[in-house]
Amino acid sequence: MIEILWHGRGGQGAFTAARLLGAACSFTPGRYALAFPSFGPERRGAPMRAFTKLDSRPIGDRSAVEKADYVVYLDQTLLAPGWEQELKPGGKVLVNAKGAFADERLIAIDADGIAQELLGRPIPNTVFIGALAALCPQIDPQDAKEAVRQYMAPKLHQANLAVIDRVASTAGEWSQARGTRVVEGAEEAVGQGDPFAQAHAFARRIPTLRQADLDPAVFARTTCWDAGHLVSRNAGWRQVRPVIDVAACTGCLVCYMQCPDGTVYKRAQVDQGQSPVGIDLDFCKGCGICARCCRFGAIRMVDEAVARAASQGAVVEGAQA
């Protein structure tokens, strides 16, 4: 049996990747697959795991994978000392990171960069489907692409198929990568002494609270401690934010009841120019549930960078400077 352990955060598509990889394997006659997730706090940005099991006979063992042939980290901040305890002898660890690791068991792939270029968003899951198709003999790259066609929405096909092709074409580069990595212009050796020294040094520069000048493109990498836990105010994961139309909001509080993180609140006092409800942007993850459930169309999701720029020149309901 081949076992794959996925580490990611809510919203990165780890479970989707686990399912797609299983589907890709099962297209071949005589091969079977099982995929399932394991959640902690079910919210966007929270650490989670997913598992894929591949075998030549039906799989009855539905227990979590403790030691895997391949371990995938969709978020580099989740990689912590002791990672090797989850790896079978001869196994590989794939990490969403730039540059290279000195330890030959750790393979760095700039999944965010590839996804940003081809998808327009740093969603790394299909990057690692392509990588595993290149590494694992049980997965045919063409079957991986067929899984995308069958199990993803048609509008997502072209870009995600391009992602798999890109990874396949560059597999030799990242599978053999060694040496140094570059973080914020400072070149450091990885794997010489403590292989996590660089990651820990980076974590020490992480602000305890979200700062006004943080680039939304790197929020996910700047709101985590080195141990992989989100900070107290963890809206940094957000790429879009809800903005309330004051004139359209009736104060029905459906958004308040539907918000999974309790970030919508009823104002005790409504001043002129305010809506009856507000949104705590220190904790809002930008999931968009409030906008989808609003029957009056009073909430729209706005790009985080655009909203922040607008808030610098004028007050935007639901935005903070």
Side-chain angles (χ1 to χ4, degrees):
M1 179 185 294
I2 300 298
E3 297 175 292
I4 299 95
L5 171 57
W6 302 79
H7 287 281
R9 296 189 182 278
Q12 288 185 309
F15 181 40
T16 296
R19 290 191 299 110
L20 290 174
L21 191 70
C25 175
S26 62
F27 289 145
T28 301
R31 292 196 182 277
Y32 300 86
L34 179 67
F36 55 97
S38 175
F39 294 100
E42 295 191 37
R43 66 185 183 190
R44 188 175 180 87
M48 57 83 63
R49 297 186 301 164
F51 314 96
T52 307
K53 299 184 178 184
L54 314 175
D55 207 345
S56 57
R57 57 185 179 181
I59 302 170
D61 181 4
R62 296 178 177 270
S63 62
V65 174
E66 299 297 334
K67 286 187 177 292
D69 298 275
Y70 302 96
V71 182
V72 180
Y73 287 89
L74 274 67
D75 191 314
Q76 183 186 354
T77 61
L78 296 175
L79 181 67
W83 57 269
E84 66 278 0
Q85 296 177 13
E86 294 181 329
L87 198 62
K88 293 180 183 179
K92 296 292 184 182
V93 178
L94 281 63
V95 186
N96 183 2
K98 295 181 179 180
F101 294 97
D103 191 315
E104 64 180 10
R105 294 172 295 177
L106 291 164
I107 299 175
I109 304 176
D110 184 15
D112 278 350
I114 296 172
Q116 184 68 53
E117 177 186 349
L118 299 177
L119 302 177
R121 298 179 64 187
I123 303 177
N125 56 350
T126 49
V127 174
F128 288 102
I129 292 175
L132 287 168
L135 285 171
C136 182
Q138 286 76 11
I139 305 296
D140 187 301
Q142 295 305 316
D143 287 339
K145 294 170 70 173
E146 184 60 27
V148 168
R149 295 187 188 98
Q150 292 197 24
Y151 295 97
M152 297 186 80
K155 66 179 181 180
L156 303 177
H157 289 178
Q158 182 177 356
N160 282 282
L161 293 175
V163 166
I164 294 176
D165 285 337
R166 169 67 64 81
V167 176
S169 68
T170 59
E173 299 176 16
W174 50 257
S175 64
Q176 299 299 324
R178 297 290 184 272
T180 61
R181 294 173 51 218
V182 177
V183 174
E184 297 188 355
E187 188 174 281
E188 302 177 53
V190 177
Q192 299 177 6
D194 178 8
F196 299 94
Q198 185 182 41
H200 292 174
F202 180 54
R204 286 194 291 271
R205 297 194 293 271
I206 295 171
T208 56
L209 298 179
R210 182 168 53 90
Q211 297 176 352
D213 60 349
L214 286 183
D215 181 356
V218 296
F219 274 172
R221 295 189 181 279
T222 55
T223 55
C224 306
W225 299 105
D226 56 349
H229 298 289
L230 297 172
V231 298
S232 298
R233 297 186 181 183
N234 52 8
W237 184 264
R238 184 176 61 234
Q239 295 182 353
V240 291
R241 69 166 64 175
V243 174
I244 300 175
D245 184 337
V246 176
C249 179
T250 65
C252 67
L253 296 181
V254 171
C255 56
Y256 164 79
M257 292 184 286
Q258 294 292 331
C259 178
D261 288 300
T263 63
V264 180
Y265 61 92
K266 182 179 180 181
R267 298 187 190 278
Q269 179 179 341
V270 180
D271 297 328
Q272 185 176 5
Q274 288 185 323
S275 62
V277 298
I279 298 173
D280 186 344
L281 292 175
D282 282 334
F283 295 92
C284 170
K285 309 299 186 304
C287 66
I289 291 176
C290 57
R292 291 194 293 271
C293 74
C294 181
R295 295 174 295 174
F296 305 99
I299 304 176
R300 60 191 178 94
M301 303 304 294
V302 177
D303 181 89
E304 179 71 16
V306 173
R308 292 180 67 83
S311 68
Q312 293 175 2
V315 176
V316 178
E317 179 62 19
Q320 291 181 345

